[in-house]
Amino acid sequence: SMRTGDLQAPVGYDRWSYGLRDMQGSKIHNSKREDRWGGESFGPGDVVGFAICLTGKDNGNGAGVVGSNGDGTATAGGTSKGSTSGIDGLMGLDGNDTESSTTHHGTNIPMPSTTTAATTTSNKKNLPTSTNHIRFFKNGEAMGHFIVSRGIRTGGQAFDNIEPGHYFPAISAYMGGSVRVNFGPHFIYPPRSLPHGFMKKLKPISELCTAPPTPEEAVASIMKERAFHHKKIDENAVNAFKEAVKMEATIRYDAYCNHVKRHVEEVREGRMERGLSTGDLPQVDVEL
């Protein structure tokens, strides 16, 4: 959804948002539903993912995507068939129950759903397609209708020629439904079956947020400020300030590292529950 989307209505209600429905996998935009675009039903245990592609033309400075358990230019995903759902996305999101790619995945036992989301920006020279569009995935498999000609796979867009601008993750849940979202960089069900050359353009949503500097980098950066090069500055005051900066930077950096560790372990657990490979995930020690 764009920031102008109606917050008091479901996703897909107006022209500013695009939605995927769990029943029949219908797509919805501007209150118009389409059932025969190639979507699939999903529920607890599935992972739904989505991917959003913005060509860079009249799109502003970037885009955001919603979801969990997905990889792609823009993807998202989640799981359904259980008491809760999830979403994965690229730029990127990752989840346990449903995915959209954006991209999503799941198991045969009731569990929280997850969704993943991802985004991609590019120009006509390096993108397999030059239109602003959105794609959806279920358990890593791309939804939609595709055409294969001379070994080249094309098509699959759920929404093509979408409004340019800034996009944000959005979820509509009813009757106590819940969703777990994963923005990457690792996903339970990375997206598959995409058009030729498209996978290389996908990035997880998590890349929109850069990692914080290490304590040493933070101190070195702040000491480059001109105010600290004044000859009459008190050395004790400078040292006290450096310690304060280092302490705050340490708290931020440690919190980030622990988040990354927990993220990897959650994805590993989700894959093991589904009998999927975990060989590409880094080995980490989680600090709780």
Side-chain angles (χ1 to χ4, degrees), residues 122-133:
S122 61
N123 54 42
K124 293 184 178 180
K125 293 183 179 180
N126 60 15
L127 251 191
T129 176
S130 61
T131 62
N132 297 325
H133 68 271

Side-chain angles (χ1 to χ4, degrees):
S1 175
M2 304 181 79
R3 68 178 65 217
T4 44
D6 192 339
L7 296 179
Q8 305 304 318
V11 179
Y13 171 77
D14 53 28
R15 62 174 293 194
W16 309 114
S17 63
Y18 303 83
L20 178 69
R21 188 174 179 232
D22 60 344
M23 297 176 63
Q24 297 181 280
S26 305
K27 64 178 185 177
I28 304 174
H29 174 60
N30 206 16
S31 292
K32 296 178 180 178
R33 192 184 81 204
E34 185 175 343
D35 300 330
R36 299 182 180 180
W37 71 278
E40 298 180 29
S41 301
F42 59 88
D46 292 324
V47 176
V48 175
F50 76 84
I52 183 169
C53 173
L54 299 176
T55 64
K57 181 179 180 181
D58 299 324
N59 283 323
N61 296 324
V65 181
V66 193
S68 64
N69 281 349
D71 296 329
T73 30
T75 63
T79 31
S80 49
K81 300 277 185 206
S83 57
T84 56
S85 306
I87 300 175
D88 291 347
L90 296 173
M91 251 14 250
L93 288 186
D94 202 351
N96 293 333
D97 299 325
T98 47
E99 275 188 43
S100 62
S101 225
T102 291
T103 299
H104 315 277
H105 8 177
T107 60
N108 58 356
I109 58 175
M111 60 188 307
S113 300
T114 45
T115 307
T116 45
T119 63
T120 279
T121 58
S122 61
N123 54 42
K124 293 184 178 180
K125 293 183 179 180
N126 60 15
L127 251 191
T129 176
S130 61
T131 62
N132 297 325
H133 68 271
I134 295 174
R135 299 173 180 273
F136 293 106
F137 304 77
K138 176 182 176 180
N139 299 331
E141 291 292 338
M143 298 186 194
H145 296 304
F146 291 86
I147 297 175
V148 179
S149 177
R150 297 182 179 180
I152 303 298
R153 183 180 176 91
T154 59
Q157 298 95 326
F159 299 102
D160 203 3
N161 296 309
I162 64 174
E163 294 280 350
H166 291 73
Y167 284 81
F168 303 85
I171 299 170
S172 301
Y174 305 91
M175 304 299 290
S178 61
V179 174
R180 184 171 62 193
V181 185
N182 174 12
F183 292 100
H186 303 287
F187 301 99
I188 294 177
Y189 287 99
R192 302 184 295 273
S193 306
L194 287 165
H196 179 73
F198 203 79
M199 276 297 301
K200 296 179 180 179
K201 305 298 179 182
L202 296 181
K203 296 181 180 179
I205 289 294
S206 59
E207 289 194 11
L208 290 174
C209 182
T210 58
T214 64
E216 293 74 18
E217 291 172 340
V219 172
S221 176
I222 200 65
M223 292 307 296
K224 293 179 181 179
E225 296 292 332
R226 293 180 60 184
F228 293 100
H229 297 167
H230 198 284
K231 294 182 179 179
K232 296 183 179 181
I233 194 167
D234 188 314
E235 190 66 26
N236 291 329
V238 172
N239 291 334
F241 183 74
K242 288 169 64 177
E243 285 300 317
V245 170
K246 184 176 181 180
M247 181 179 297
E248 180 174 347
T250 299
I251 294 173
R252 291 176 179 271
Y253 188 72
D254 288 349
Y256 169 78
C257 291
N258 286 328
H259 163 74
V260 171
K261 293 175 182 178
R262 287 195 297 270
H263 163 68
V264 171
E265 290 308 310
E266 288 174 357
V267 172
R268 190 190 313 279
E269 180 181 343
R271 289 191 185 181
M272 293 178 67
E273 290 175 348
R274 295 163 173 76
L276 303 174
S277 172
T278 60
D280 62 314
L281 298 177
Q283 297 295 326
V284 297
D285 295 324
V286 181
E287 297 179 16
L288 299 178

